[in-house]
């Protein structure tokens, strides 16, 4: 904390929340920010940080004062050219936000997903069987957390078979782009044009199958619920937000179980807790660590005036482990009620794909729980630094199969 007379109530810090060391191990910074005060000025980027649950939650639900239309990354779209046309959902405010949101909410709502459950359960069982047939040791990140979403989600969207290997690199790049232009952004700069071109081409009506989420977005345009200019951008949101997030969310759950054998036992005893387990993993690891808002007017938070137009960095991962909100927040605990976590956001932008993510998690974890008695780490898990995502590179495990494919 430094002395800053004009900002007496705002502790200032020149820490870089996007430095590799922080991205790989963010909890010490979170703790320091929560302790420093309700609002911390980050001088390095000229932004204000919120790290306590109360204030992150309050900012998320107050879209009138904390807008998304200026971008939810560090870049201020009012002053800088965005790296791609802004998302109609994530980077928009009412009223422009509302029609795309309504369309996607219908398409991704639980009733619309019912027809996917059987196929995804089968896909999960086949994948787990295939992985186990190669022996009890494997990388749970690549073999399960990456492989399963890639096996079911692109088909559900209606993507063609070619180029699917571009999805994860595109996501990695898009989530880096919410941060500063640092080494992580520069490392992939040479791929932006190529990956964007591929993704944009997949958003065209002709590129999509006739029965997927993508086709349903275009059908909404036929009904006049969207314009034909909007439809491909809404498809793009699915492709940007729908893969890496679930990959790292599943990895969080697998990591949780590999390090908490008692919780794995509990899941096996009560497979119906798979969905809660996934939400607890999302709370505990917060795959999406941070997003920005922009103050629409001078806003006062706990006696600190944040000037209109200023970017505000919300630490979702910190809010999700704020001891003022959660008992023993650092524990991965299936007995807790994780509802109210802000890992999917909160308010009008709250993850519209969360039911898709939960269905993926439920089918994969259930298939695994039926076949595996124990899961443990065989080496140090490796994180992959990303400016926004708490992401993984490797999760080496050994499992003890439960023999007949039965829990009991
Ligand atoms: C919360 S992650 C995310 C959500 C939406 C989009 C990208 C990322 C988008 O492009 O609309």
């Amino acid at each position: 904390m430094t002395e800053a007379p004009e900002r007496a109530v705002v502790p200032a810090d020149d820490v870089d929340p996007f430095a590799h060391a922080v991205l790989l191990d963010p909890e010490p910074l979170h703790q320091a920010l929560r302790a420093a005060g309700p609002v911390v000025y980050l001088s390095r980027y000229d932004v204000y940080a919120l790290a306590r649950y109360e204030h992150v939650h309050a900012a998320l639900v107050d879209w009138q004062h904390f807008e998304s239309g200026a971008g939810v990354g560090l870049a201020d779209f009012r002053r800088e050219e965005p790296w791609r046309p802004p998302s109609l959902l994530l980077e928009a405010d009412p009223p422009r936000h509302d029609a795309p949101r309504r369309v996607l909410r219908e398409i991704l709502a639980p009733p619309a997903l019912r027809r996917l459950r059987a196929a995804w359960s089968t896909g999960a069982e086949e994948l787990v069987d295939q992985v186990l047939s190669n022996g009890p040791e494997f990388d749970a990140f690549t073999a399960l957390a990456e492989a399963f979403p890639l096996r079911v989600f692109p088909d559900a969207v209606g993507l063609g078979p070619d180029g699917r290997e571009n999805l994860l690199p595109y996501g990695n790049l898009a989530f880096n782009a919410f941060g500063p232009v640092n080494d992580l952004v520069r490392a992939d700069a040479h791929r932006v044009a190529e990956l964007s071109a591929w993704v944009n081409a997949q958003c065209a009506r002709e590129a999509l199958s006739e029965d997927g989420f993508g086709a349903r977005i275009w059908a909404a345009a036929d009904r006049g619920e969207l314009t034909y200019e909007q439809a491909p951008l809404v498809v793009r949101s699915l492709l940007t937000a729908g893969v890496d997030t679930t990959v790292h969310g599943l990895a969080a759950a697998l990591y949780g179980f590999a390090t908490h054998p008692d919780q794995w036992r509990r899941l096996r005893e009560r497979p119906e807790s798979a969905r809660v387990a996934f939400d607890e993993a999302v709370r505990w690891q917060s795959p999406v660590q941070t997003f920005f808002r922009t103050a629409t007017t001078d806003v006062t938070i706990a006696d600190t005036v944040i000037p209109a137009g200023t970017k505000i960095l919300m630490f979702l991962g910190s809010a999700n482990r704020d001891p003022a909100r959660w008992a023993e927040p650092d524990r991965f605990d299936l007995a807790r009620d994780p509802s109210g976590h802000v890992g999917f956001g909160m308010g009008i932008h709250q993850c519209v794909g969360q039911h898709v993510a939960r269905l993926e998690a439920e089918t994969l974890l259930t298939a695994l729980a039926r076949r595996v008695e124990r899961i443990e780490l065989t080496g140090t898990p490796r994180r992959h630094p990303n400016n926004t995502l708490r992401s993984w590179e490797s999760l080496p495990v050994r499992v003890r199969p439960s023999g007949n494919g039965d829990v009991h």
Side-chain angles (χ1 to χ4, degrees):
M1 235 187 274
T2 51
E3 286 291 322
E6 298 92 328
R7 292 196 181 92
V9 292
V10 184
D13 207 307
D14 74 348
V15 70
D16 182 359
F18 301 99
H20 277 227
V22 174
L23 297 175
L24 295 174
D25 179 21
E27 270 83 31
L29 173 65
H30 293 168
Q31 202 171 348
L33 289 173
R34 287 192 306 262
V39 183
V40 181
Y41 179 69
L42 299 180
S43 50
R44 183 181 293 255
Y45 297 114
D46 187 26
V47 302
Y48 289 76
L50 307 179
R52 296 182 184 175
Y53 180 89
E54 178 191 347
H55 302 102
V56 170
H57 184 277
L60 284 169
V61 297
D62 184 0
W63 59 267
Q64 291 92 339
H65 293 103
F66 300 90
E67 67 173 338
S68 294
V72 299
L74 177 63
D76 182 350
F77 291 178
R78 314 250 185 259
R79 286 183 263 187
E80 306 165 51
E81 172 101 34
W83 72 278
R84 61 175 194 171
S87 163
L88 302 181
L89 289 127
L90 184 72
E91 295 157 333
D93 301 295
R96 292 175 56 243
H97 163 266
D98 300 340
R101 171 79 189 195
R102 206 175 304 123
V103 166
L104 214 46
R105 188 182 52 216
E106 287 291 312
I107 293 170
L108 303 179
L113 304 183
R114 262 181 226 138
R115 64 186 117 183
L116 294 171
R117 174 181 292 273
W120 289 12
S121 292
T122 307
E125 284 162 10
E126 285 172 3
L127 177 66
V128 173
D129 284 341
Q130 185 189 321
V131 170
L132 294 181
S133 73
N134 290 325
E137 295 192 13
F138 54 90
D139 188 329
F141 176 67
T142 51
L144 296 175
E146 279 193 330
F148 185 59
L150 286 175
R151 188 177 177 120
V152 296
F153 185 73
D155 285 343
V157 174
L159 284 194
D162 297 334
R164 292 179 175 199
E165 69 280 4
N166 290 323
L167 286 167
L168 289 170
Y170 181 78
N172 185 56
L173 183 156
F175 283 96
N176 273 330
F178 295 117
V181 182
N182 57 12
D183 53 337
L184 296 173
V185 171
R186 283 190 294 267
D188 284 338
H190 67 289
R191 298 203 65 189
V192 173
E194 161 218 346
L195 290 169
S196 298
W198 180 81
V199 164
N200 294 340
Q202 309 318 305
C203 298
R205 190 167 212 165
E206 311 72 59
L208 295 158
S209 73
E210 278 169 26
D211 59 350
F213 298 144
R216 274 170 242 160
I217 291 169
W218 280 98
D222 291 337
R223 295 192 300 270
E225 295 169 18
L226 288 176
T227 68
Y228 286 111
E229 288 70 40
Q230 289 175 313
L233 277 175
V234 176
V235 179
R236 195 195 66 182
S237 284
L238 285 184
L239 300 182
T240 313
V243 188
D244 301 63
T245 49
T246 42
V247 163
H248 297 295
L250 293 174
L254 294 168
Y255 172 63
F257 285 121
T259 52
H260 297 70
D262 52 325
Q263 300 303 306
W264 184 248
R265 213 172 306 123
R266 191 187 162 98
L267 175 70
R268 280 175 45 83
E269 283 160 11
R270 302 176 217 186
E272 67 281 2
S273 61
R275 293 168 84 83
V276 169
F278 180 62
D279 270 86
E280 170 64 353
V282 171
R283 180 200 68 82
W284 182 59
Q285 292 289 306
S286 301
V288 175
Q289 283 277 303
T290 47
F291 267 135
F292 290 82
R293 292 290 188 261
T294 307
T296 56
T297 63
D298 290 358
V299 290
T300 306
I301 299 177
D303 298 331
T304 302
V305 179
I306 299 180
T310 312
K311 286 272 175 174
I312 296 152
L313 177 52
M314 304 177 300
F315 285 86
L316 307 178
S318 171
N320 280 340
R321 290 193 186 209
D322 182 347
R325 170 63 180 76
W326 310 95
E328 294 191 76
D330 297 329
R331 280 193 49 187
F332 174 62
D333 181 3
L334 269 55
R336 97 164 66 237
D337 176 6
S339 61
H341 75 73
V342 293
F344 285 127
M346 197 55 77
I348 65 165
H349 291 282
Q350 193 185 34
C351 180
V352 75
Q354 59 185 283
H355 308 291
V356 182
R358 286 202 191 95
L359 185 60
E360 288 179 48
E362 185 191 346
T363 49
L364 180 65
L365 292 176
T366 309
L368 196 64
R370 267 199 218 109
R371 287 160 176 76
V372 165
E373 210 170 275
R374 272 185 63 87
I375 175 164
E376 62 194 1
L377 294 174
T378 53
T380 312
R382 270 183 295 127
R383 303 254 182 203
H384 171 80
N386 180 282
N387 281 335
T388 303
L389 293 175
R390 183 152 207 199
S391 44
W392 299 84
E393 200 165 282
S394 169
L395 209 48
V397 299
R398 178 189 306 116
V399 300
R400 187 196 298 155
S402 51
N404 58 4
D406 241 35
V407 179
H408 302 291

